[in-house]
Amino acid sequence: QVQVVESGGGLVQAGGSLRLSCAASGNIFILNRMGWYRQAPGKQRELVATTTRRGSTNYADSVKGRFTISRVNAQNTVTLQMNSLKPDDTAVYYCNVQILGGVAVESPRADYWGQGTQVTVSS
């Protein structure tokens, strides 16, 4: 059992900032990747930003230069610093946690999701 808990969502005006936090706990052997996805009303869930255990990061084009994902390994925690927020950023933001079942390259992987935190950006 792995628990994933997000926090930090809220209502902000365009141009404002928010910092989201995601903490993973439970039966974690190797935390391979953590990241953020979001789903706006009427749209599919999309990748926002991810970071791997090696420290590499990946961002959606729409958030590059505005959002920063950081991993705190000792706490199994990632944050998403969101600056210059736009109304189009309004969505439920979900934390994704990918766990490896072993050290081998082909070890099984399992994904866990948080319940989501609402981010609303007003115009």
Side-chain angles (χ1 to χ4, degrees), residues 3-7 21-25 36 77-78 95 97 113-116:
Q3 295 80 43
V4 181
V5 180
E6 308 106 328
S7 63
S21 180
C22 173
S25 62
W36 293 93
T77 299
V78 290
C95 181
V97 178
W113 296 86
Q115 293 298 306

Side-chain angles (χ1 to χ4, degrees), residues 19-122:
R19 178 181 283 112
L20 306 183
S21 180
C22 173
S25 62
N27 188 19
I28 299 174
F29 180 37
I30 299 176
L31 208 170
N32 185 60
R33 187 185 71 219
M34 297 183 72
W36 293 93
Y37 293 70
R38 67 186 182 187
Q39 187 167 20
K43 298 182 179 179
Q44 289 186 280
R45 188 174 299 187
E46 64 176 351
L47 181 147
V48 177
T50 61
T51 182
T52 72
R53 59 173 174 152
R54 296 181 179 180
S56 63
T57 57
N58 184 39
Y59 294 92
D61 288 341
S62 60
V63 307
K64 288 180 179 178
R66 300 188 298 119
F67 292 8
T68 302
I69 187 169
S70 300
R71 182 173 178 177
V72 183
N73 290 330
Q75 301 176 18
N76 291 329
T77 299
V78 290
T79 62
L80 184 69
Q81 178 64 46
M82 305 185 294
N83 298 324
S84 301
L85 283 163
K86 306 174 181 179
D88 285 347
D89 295 319
T90 296
V92 177
Y93 284 70
Y94 297 91
C95 181
N96 169 256
V97 178
Q98 185 180 86
I99 307 298
L100 299 185
V103 298
V105 174
E106 298 299 324
S107 295
R109 291 155 168 78
D111 285 279
Y112 298 87
W113 296 86
Q115 293 298 306
T117 184
Q118 177 70 48
V119 172
T120 303
V121 184
S122 64

